[in-house]
Amino acid sequence: MPLATSLAIFQSCNITGVPKSTKCAILRDMAKVRKAERRPPLNKTHKLKRQDWAKKYLKTDFSKVLWTDEMRVSLDGPDGWARGWIGKGQRAPVRLRRQQGGGGVLVWAGIIKDELVGPFRVEDGVKLNSQSYCQFLEDTFFKQWYRKKSASFKKNMIFMQDNAPSHASKYSTAWLARKGIKEEKLMTWPPCSPDLNPIENLWSIIKCEIYKEGKQYTSLNSVWEAVVAAARNVDGEQIKTLTESMDGRLLSVLAKKGGYIGR
């Protein structure tokens, strides 16, 4: 009974008259409280495209793929994360209440094999359209990382990005092509597929670290510094585990006929 209340669970077992505190104590030994995951709905076309994508890349050497994405971090963190146990007689800490989480920072990063690329911070106030996205990649990814790589590395690397308008536009596609990232070197991406991008798991690791114990931040610079520190603590083995999960993800997509996979 996923997401059932403690009352519903005990009633399904024909057990009544148990105090809520006792029910919760029993359930904590075998379960955890979780929110339902939010994902965009998949229609038939989406599922077919996800299956086609899995078939196309099934024999790909994923150690050559650079998986990229953006993440927004706010000063206050995601809703519902500031919960936890406190001792009897102690008062819960006071949290600031701010609109839109107090503002936030947009972060871009990539992972390939066992290496983290970035993270890089998008300048505050910049809205990523096609032109600003390409300029951002030029100033960060290309100048600070890609140009240092060998010719053989560049020849074999496959660049992955999702279908955000600033990524998939004709302008951005043509700009990347001029950089040599085109055709088979630019991975096609199926719609509504955040579950297939391993960097999403990296974002989860970083957010769990920077918002642990309900931490809030007082400035955009402080939350950015926390992101950088958390990213530095992610070692190569953790990244390698994420990138090596791709074969299993593709097989899961095919087994589920294009449906969402577990992360």
Side-chain angles (χ1 to χ4, degrees):
M1 300 174 63
L3 303 182
T5 63
S6 59
L7 176 62
I9 292 172
F10 274 73
Q11 285 179 339
S12 69
C13 299
N14 296 319
I15 301 174
T16 59
V18 181
K20 182 178 179 179
S21 58
T22 303
K23 292 197 293 276
C24 291
I26 294 172
L27 291 173
R28 274 192 289 271
D29 288 336
M30 62 185 77
K32 293 182 179 180
V33 177
R34 287 289 184 267
K35 286 185 176 182
E37 291 188 39
R38 294 184 178 182
R39 291 173 172 173
L42 292 176
N43 59 35
K44 184 177 180 180
T45 300
H46 295 155
K47 292 179 179 180
L48 289 173
K49 288 185 176 181
R50 284 164 60 89
Q51 290 180 80
D52 289 342
W53 177 85
K55 292 174 183 176
K56 178 178 179 179
Y57 291 104
L58 195 57
K59 295 183 179 180
T60 298
D61 180 358
F62 288 113
S63 68
K64 302 293 194 298
V65 178
L66 175 69
W67 307 93
T68 74
D69 193 24
E70 293 95 10
M71 167 185 69
R72 180 168 291 279
V73 291
S74 67
L75 300 186
D76 295 344
D79 292 339
W81 282 37
R83 301 180 65 180
W85 295 99
I86 59 172
K88 289 185 177 180
Q90 293 181 325
R91 297 186 63 182
V94 176
R95 282 183 61 81
L96 301 174
R97 294 183 62 184
R98 297 175 285 202
Q99 290 185 345
Q100 298 180 345
V105 172
L106 187 62
V107 180
W108 183 97
I111 55 175
I112 181 169
K113 196 175 181 179
D114 59 356
E115 185 177 357
L116 172 63
V117 182
F120 298 116
R121 177 179 177 176
V122 177
E123 185 178 345
D124 298 340
V126 172
K127 183 177 180 180
L128 284 187
N129 55 29
S130 299
Q131 290 80 7
S132 59
Y133 173 65
C134 293
Q135 186 61 54
F136 172 80
L137 289 181
E138 175 67 29
D139 296 338
T140 55
F141 167 69
F142 281 103
K143 287 185 177 180
Q144 298 184 42
W145 187 81
Y146 187 72
R147 74 176 182 179
K148 300 176 183 178
K149 295 299 182 179
S150 65
S152 61
F153 176 91
K154 294 175 182 177
K155 179 181 178 181
N156 293 315
M157 191 198 80
I158 300 172
F159 187 87
M160 173 271 155
Q161 59 182 2
D162 64 22
N163 295 320
S166 60
H167 300 173
S169 69
K170 292 182 179 180
Y171 180 96
S172 297
T173 302
W175 186 86
L176 285 171
R178 292 195 295 272
K179 292 287 187 179
I181 298 178
K182 57 185 176 179
E183 298 170 351
E184 294 304 312
K185 288 178 57 61
L186 180 61
M187 178 176 279
T188 57
W189 193 247
C192 304
S193 297
D195 58 319
L196 300 181
N197 190 351
I199 202 173
E200 294 288 348
N201 300 83
L202 175 68
W203 294 147
S204 296
I205 293 170
I206 291 175
K207 285 184 175 181
C208 284
E209 177 63 25
I210 68 175
Y211 295 122
K212 65 182 179 182
E213 299 178 355
K215 185 171 178 60
Q216 292 179 288
Y217 297 87
T218 57
S219 69
L220 298 181
N221 284 337
S222 63
V223 72
W224 164 243
E225 290 168 1
V227 169
V228 172
R232 286 175 180 166
N233 287 331
V234 179
D235 60 39
E237 285 302 312
Q238 287 176 285
I239 296 172
K240 188 176 180 181
T241 297
L242 298 181
T243 56
E244 288 185 346
S245 70
M246 290 310 302
D247 289 317
R249 295 183 194 226
L250 269 66
L251 292 173
S252 293
V253 169
L254 295 174
K256 294 189 176 184
K257 298 182 179 180
Y260 279 126
I261 64 174
R263 287 193 284 170

